[in-house]
Amino acid sequence: MRKLLFLVSFILLSQYALIAQNTIKGTITDENQSPVLGADIYIEQLHLGTTSDESGLFELDNIPNGTHKLSISFVGFNTENLELTISSEEKILEISMTPSVFHMDEVILSAPFNKLQSENVMKIESKSIETLKKAGAPTLMQGISNIPGVSEITTGTGIGKPVIRGLSGNRVLVYTQGVRLENQQFGSEHGLGMNESGIESVEVIKGPASLLYGSDALGGVLYLNPEKFAYQDETKVDLSQSFFSNTLGSNTSVGFKTSKKKIKFIARGGLNSHADYQIPDGDRVTNTRFTEKDFKAGLGLNLDQFVTEFRYNYNQSEIGIPEGIEEQSTSRSPDLPYQDLNTHILSLHNHFYLNKSKIDLNLGYTVNNRKEFEDEHDHEDEDHNEELANQDEDAHEEEHGDEEAALDMKLKTFTYDLKYNLAKMGKFETIAGLQGMYQENKNFGEEILIPDAITNDIGFLVTSTVSIDDKSSLQGGLRFDHRNLSSSSFIKEDHDMGSEEIVIDGLDRSFSNFTFSLGYKNLFFDKLTTRINIASGFRAPNLAELTSYGVHHGSNRFEIGNPDLVSEQNFQTDLSLEYGNKHIEIFANGFYNVLNNYIFASPTGEVIEDNQIFEYIQSDANLYGGEFGIHFHPHPFDWLHLESSYETVIGKETSGDYLPLIPANKWANTIRVEFNGSKKFNEIYTALVLDSFFEQNKVSVNETVTPAYNLLHLRMGGKLVFDKMNIGMNLSFNNILDETYISHLSVLKNDQIPNPGRNIVLGLNFNFL
């Protein structure tokens, strides 16, 4: 299969590398026909962009024949998304932009047809990293958790696991650089594994997206868009620096990018380092420290009818695993136990333009090495697994001196995604695709939590959208997936049966599923947008759920897998209503999710070596809830914004018991003022935010009730502009009142350890033009 895909790339590249290029020119004006200076003009898949000059003029060169989507955006105006068919050497446009007081409409890349959010049949949340940074979060995942409907399971400040509408773990798929992120994400103590450095924006699909992404997208998708290349004939250098008072932390990012007519290059390095976090009584939670190093690079090439983009990301982090409030320290070097994580991500995106149709071929390769170092570990199984641990010994080096990792797993993943965008037929657009994954997991430590295994995925999909008229559209699709999982047997000490050892048999399981989606969007009275979507999803059980037997030290429990588990399947209905005019926006998003064969770890009531025993079982369940909000912009106070949103989710087994790890209901209120300022000091803002978390008393049998609490935050900032440089400044006061609270989704909740107290965050961004 891999050889076939590379052969297709070579043939198409050879066939279309010599066809002539075209130019797009145009003028951008406002509603008064005055020129707009500084508007962004961008063609996403070509990685081509520029800005309009003082006369509103722009020009883009090196455009291949075919159909392209041109996005024009500028603060204070509605985003324009034009579909252009280019077949001549020059295309001249005249574009008039209309004002908007709320936000810029954005092109959504996680959806199949790359439309503006306002045009999408499916409701997808999108936030820029710049916006998330204003919240002063120490990690990318904490920033994302401010999006309505998104939460995080935390273990201190360094480990955050995404939760979308009550679903987490392998039910939420993460995409970065256009490929799926695979980093042993099956456990709640395994963090996101991504640094915000070099990420442009995040998109959130809240609901089953198996049609587009296959298994593990049953609960939703976090789609991380990489930083854009520089605009044509530009070179930019930037430096950002943030300081955190609570953790005495520092987050640094340095980037360089340059772009010529046919070739583009980008590189960025980041360092994020924090000491133990401090709770309101002044104590620090021991070993919540972490250090993360990140490097990203990209190369883009435009060769007539062929466009390619190569991206590389290396992420290395050392994260302490907290066990209580003990010795006080401001060290950044983790104590035992801790995790050492190394991830390499390589992606190659190719676009072949065939006049009015297009072929996309995306290839990804990820290597993840996860190690856990402990105070003590059992050597009983070492001799039994010696041969296994010595496999590929020459290629595997210990990086911690005399320390030996108790748990040491290396996961290699190759993914491929081939899509054919058929030529548009009237109002119909159609995509047919083939996706797959080959994954290999190997153990090198003396402890084995999950076995050596190989996973093979292949999926076929077709999806279409039709614009019924200017106000309504319909989109649907069908997909078939097949997964084969083959694991090796391994030997563990049997703490339960009284014998010295137990053999965990190998598996050879296959899972096949059909999924579908159907959505309808309509605009009533030019103000009210209605979206109705129904979709099915599935998730095959992972290795931990099928085969684990032993203490998982990160979660402090003894886990026993179930080799007879079947795939989870769900059916979700979504209803989204949005009303907007010049002064008010109102939204209401409701969902009902029927989830069959829901897999979860249930306590047996027994204990081994001070660790509770958990067994994986299945049950049917239902989840329902939604997000509701209002954004008021009163006239004539153009500088004032009042925002309020409420989010809720309830998860229950059909037996009546509540599901575990369901976030508490949240009510967020914001008063924000914004000023344009002067040419030298602009984009000035101040915001007062009150986050109210309600009591979570709808808990599973192994959870405790979490009391209600309120968090008050103050945020302010602006931008200084010079001839060759601009400086962005953000100042955040999080948890101003130093409230003592425990999040319901905190892993440290069982030990009654509070979340962080007051945190003052200063962020500086230097952009050299």
Side-chain angles (χ1 to χ4, degrees):
M1 178 60 67
R2 280 180 278 183
K3 291 181 179 179
L4 175 61
L5 292 171
F6 282 115
L7 179 60
V8 171
S9 300
F10 177 78
I11 294 173
L12 291 172
L13 174 59
S14 301
Q15 183 176 358
Y16 294 101
L18 300 176
I19 299 178
Q21 294 291 291
N22 309 294
T23 299
I24 297 176
K25 295 181 179 180
T27 306
I28 300 177
T29 59
D30 60 18
E31 73 278 13
N32 299 317
Q33 298 302 306
S34 299
V36 176
L37 168 64
D40 290 310
I41 302 96
Y42 202 74
I43 302 178
E44 185 69 43
Q45 290 195 329
L46 298 182
H47 316 295
L48 288 175
T50 187
T51 56
S52 56
D53 61 18
E54 294 87 348
S55 301
L57 299 174
F58 72 90
E59 181 175 332
L60 283 174
D61 299 319
N62 209 34
I63 311 296
N65 289 339
T67 300
H68 309 282
K69 292 182 179 178
L70 183 73
S71 173
I72 303 100
S73 60
F74 190 64
V75 176
F77 290 87
N78 289 312
T79 300
E80 302 289 336
N81 197 33
L82 306 179
E83 187 173 279
L84 304 175
T85 299
I86 307 297
S87 58
S88 59
E89 293 185 1
E90 187 171 273
K91 187 89 169 180
I92 299 177
L93 304 173
E94 291 186 2
I95 301 164
S96 178
M97 302 189 73
T98 56
S100 171
V101 297
F102 286 110
H103 61 269
M104 290 192 303
D105 206 2
E106 298 181 76
V107 176
I108 301 300
L109 301 181
S110 56
F113 299 99
N114 298 154
K115 296 180 179 291
L116 290 175
Q117 175 61 281
S118 59
E119 301 169 340
N120 265 330
V121 170
M122 185 189 310
K123 173 66 175 177
I124 298 175
E125 300 283 354
S126 177
K127 293 289 183 182
S128 69
I129 293 299
E130 183 179 359
T131 299
L132 297 180
K133 279 184 176 181
K134 292 178 180 179
T139 64
L140 174 63
M141 188 57 242
Q142 285 194 32
I144 295 173
S145 66
N146 289 310
I147 298 174
V150 183
S151 308
E152 64 168 339
I153 299 170
T154 62
T155 307
T157 51
I159 301 175
K161 191 78 176 175
V163 181
I164 298 180
R165 288 178 167 175
L167 294 177
S168 58
N170 279 91
R171 300 176 185 92
V172 175
L173 185 60
V174 179
Y175 253 62
T176 180
Q177 299 178 190
V179 298
R180 60 187 292 157
L181 176 63
E182 291 289 323
N183 61 351
Q184 300 284 11
Q185 64 268 36
F186 56 84
S188 62
E189 79 296 342
H190 299 170
L192 186 64
M194 288 298 299
N195 185 279
E196 67 184 35
S197 175
I199 295 176
E200 184 93 9
S201 63
V202 58
E203 297 171 10
V204 182
I205 301 176
K206 293 182 283 190
S210 299
L211 175 72
L212 302 177
Y213 298 103
S215 179
D216 302 342
L218 173 143
V221 175
L222 288 184
Y223 196 94
L224 307 176
N225 291 310
E227 180 180 6
K228 291 179 180 177
F229 290 102
Y231 287 167
Q232 191 168 297
D233 297 322
E234 285 187 345
T235 297
K236 290 188 175 183
V237 178
D238 67 88
L239 166 67
S240 65
Q241 179 67 60
S242 298
F243 302 96
F244 304 82
S245 68
N246 185 282
T247 58
L248 306 178
S250 172
N251 192 351
T252 306
S253 176
V254 180
F256 167 83
K257 52 185 174 181
T258 186
S259 178
K260 301 301 179 184
K261 187 173 182 179
K262 291 192 176 184
I263 192 167
K264 305 164 185 64
F265 175 76
I266 191 170
R268 181 170 297 279
L271 175 63
N272 195 12
S273 181
H274 296 259
D276 296 341
Y277 78 78
Q278 191 174 48
I279 60 177
D281 69 4
D283 285 337
R284 294 189 179 276
V285 181
T286 307
N287 212 27
T288 54
R289 65 203 69 166
F290 68 96
T291 298
E292 182 181 35
K293 302 171 185 176
D294 190 85
F295 174 76
K296 294 183 175 75
L299 182 67
L301 190 63
N302 290 39
L303 293 176
D304 300 324
Q305 298 300 101
F306 170 73
V307 176
T308 187
E309 172 195 3
F310 172 77
R311 299 263 185 173
Y312 169 72
N313 179 206
Y314 171 67
N315 186 276
Q316 190 274 331
S317 57
E318 289 186 345
I319 305 175
I321 300 176
E323 296 183 331
I325 300 175
E326 300 171 354
E327 181 181 349
Q328 298 295 288
S329 172
T330 57
S331 171
R332 284 160 172 73
S333 298
D335 290 335
L336 296 172
Y338 72 92
Q339 299 179 16
D340 182 2
L341 313 173
N342 288 267
T343 304
H344 301 265
I345 304 171
L346 297 93
S347 62
L348 182 65
H349 303 277
N350 306 287
H351 308 289
F352 305 91
Y353 290 89
L354 318 174
N355 293 322
K356 295 183 179 181
S357 62
K358 178 167 65 77
I359 292 178
D360 298 328
L361 175 60
N362 301 326
L363 305 173
Y365 183 65
T366 303
V367 179
N368 172 257
N369 188 199
R370 179 179 294 275
K371 300 178 183 179
E372 290 185 8
F373 296 84
E374 303 164 10
D375 293 298
E376 298 178 0
H377 32 264
D378 193 357
H379 295 269
E380 293 291 330
D381 299 329
E382 187 171 0
D383 293 335
H384 298 293
N385 295 294
E386 181 178 0
E387 182 178 353
L388 179 66
N390 289 331
Q391 291 179 4
D392 295 340
E393 183 176 340
D394 293 338
H396 189 78
E397 300 177 357
E398 291 292 345
E399 300 173 354
H400 297 274
D402 295 333
E403 292 179 2
E404 181 181 350
L407 194 66
D408 187 352
M409 299 181 289
K410 180 172 283 189
L411 186 70
K412 299 179 181 179
T413 306
F414 170 75
T415 60
Y416 53 91
D417 182 355
L418 179 65
K419 289 192 176 76
Y420 180 42
N421 298 257
L422 282 71
K424 193 172 182 179
M425 295 180 291
K427 296 182 178 181
F428 280 88
E429 294 181 72
T430 300
I431 295 175
L434 165 69
Q435 294 177 332
M437 178 182 75
Y438 175 85
Q439 187 173 82
E440 181 181 38
N441 182 70
K442 287 202 171 194
N443 287 274
F444 298 91
E446 63 184 54
E447 288 189 8
I448 297 179
L449 179 63
I450 59 174
D452 290 0
I454 291 176
T455 303
N456 265 301
D457 278 359
I458 189 167
F460 305 90
L461 69 98
V462 60
T463 180
S464 296
T465 183
V466 54
S467 298
I468 299 172
D469 52 40
D470 293 339
K471 296 183 178 182
S472 59
S473 54
L474 185 69
Q475 182 177 314
L478 183 68
R479 179 182 178 121
F480 173 76
D481 282 274
H482 178 79
R483 167 173 288 188
N484 178 261
L485 193 155
S486 176
S487 69
S488 303
S489 62
F490 63 104
I491 299 173
K492 295 288 292 186
E493 182 180 352
D494 185 0
H495 299 268
D496 192 30
M497 301 300 179
S499 60
E500 293 186 358
E501 62 184 39
I502 183 173
V503 177
I504 308 300
D505 292 331
L507 294 176
D508 189 357
R509 296 284 307 275
S510 293
F511 307 90
S512 297
N513 292 273
F514 280 98
T515 52
F516 76 93
S517 72
L518 182 65
Y520 174 74
K521 169 190 163 292
N522 193 66
L523 179 64
F524 292 99
F525 318 116
D526 295 327
K527 301 294 182 183
L528 177 64
T529 301
T530 303
R531 294 180 175 91
I532 301 174
N533 283 272
I534 56 174
S536 64
F538 84 98
R539 181 183 75 89
N542 61 44
L543 281 171
E545 295 162 342
L546 291 167
T547 65
S548 61
Y549 188 91
V551 178
H552 198 174
H553 293 271
S555 55
N556 295 317
R557 66 190 191 189
F558 192 100
E559 297 181 356
I560 299 178
N562 181 352
D564 298 321
L565 296 173
V566 298
S567 292
E568 293 179 338
Q569 294 181 313
N570 74 331
F571 179 86
Q572 180 167 309
T573 303
D574 286 88
L575 174 62
S576 172
L577 301 173
E578 295 177 355
Y579 173 82
N581 60 30
K582 291 183 178 180
H583 306 295
I584 192 169
E585 281 187 334
I586 302 173
F587 70 87
N589 306 319
F591 74 95
Y592 194 92
N593 191 357
V594 178
L595 186 55
N596 297 322
N597 303 315
Y598 179 80
I599 302 171
F600 61 99
S602 177
T604 65
E606 301 177 35
V607 175
I608 291 179
E609 297 178 352
D610 298 326
N611 294 291
Q612 277 192 304
I613 298 177
F614 281 72
E615 291 183 340
Y616 283 102
I617 60 175
Q618 290 189 292
S619 175
D620 294 341
N622 298 310
L623 294 99
Y624 51 92
E627 305 86 40
F628 315 90
I630 183 171
H631 180 180
F632 183 46
H633 178 74
H635 181 75
F637 307 108
D638 295 336
W639 43 268
L640 179 61
H641 296 261
L642 305 175
E643 300 175 61
S644 181
S645 66
Y646 179 79
E647 55 189 279
T648 179
V649 58
I650 296 172
K652 297 180 70 173
E653 296 180 58
T654 53
S655 64
D657 293 334
Y658 289 102
L659 296 179
L661 298 176
I662 300 298
N665 296 345
K666 178 183 176 182
W667 185 22
N669 291 280
T670 301
I671 301 175
R672 188 176 75 254
V673 297
E674 297 177 343
F675 298 98
N676 292 329
S678 63
K679 289 184 178 181
K680 291 294 185 182
F681 187 38
N682 53 46
E683 298 184 26
I684 305 166
Y685 71 92
T686 300
L688 187 65
V689 181
L690 177 63
D691 290 333
S692 299
F693 293 83
F694 292 77
E695 179 185 60
Q696 178 55 298
N697 52 21
K698 298 177 175 62
V699 296
S700 73
V701 293
N702 59 315
E703 290 182 313
T704 57
V705 172
T706 302
Y709 58 91
N710 298 285
L711 301 177
L712 187 65
H713 318 290
L714 176 64
R715 294 155 189 167
M716 59 187 69
K719 184 178 292 184
L720 284 170
V721 180
F722 301 96
D723 290 339
K724 296 294 183 181
M725 179 178 68
N726 63 55
I727 303 174
M729 297 175 291
N730 302 311
L731 183 61
S732 301
F733 299 85
N734 295 330
N735 192 6
I736 298 174
L737 302 180
D738 212 19
E739 175 83 3
T740 299
Y741 71 98
I742 300 177
S743 167
H744 186 69
L745 298 185
S746 170
V747 174
L748 304 181
K749 176 176 181 284
N750 294 332
D751 297 321
Q752 291 300 299
I753 297 176
N755 286 71
R758 183 186 297 114
N759 191 18
I760 302 173
V761 183
L762 173 63
L764 299 172
N765 303 289
F766 302 88
N767 291 278
F768 304 93
L769 306 178

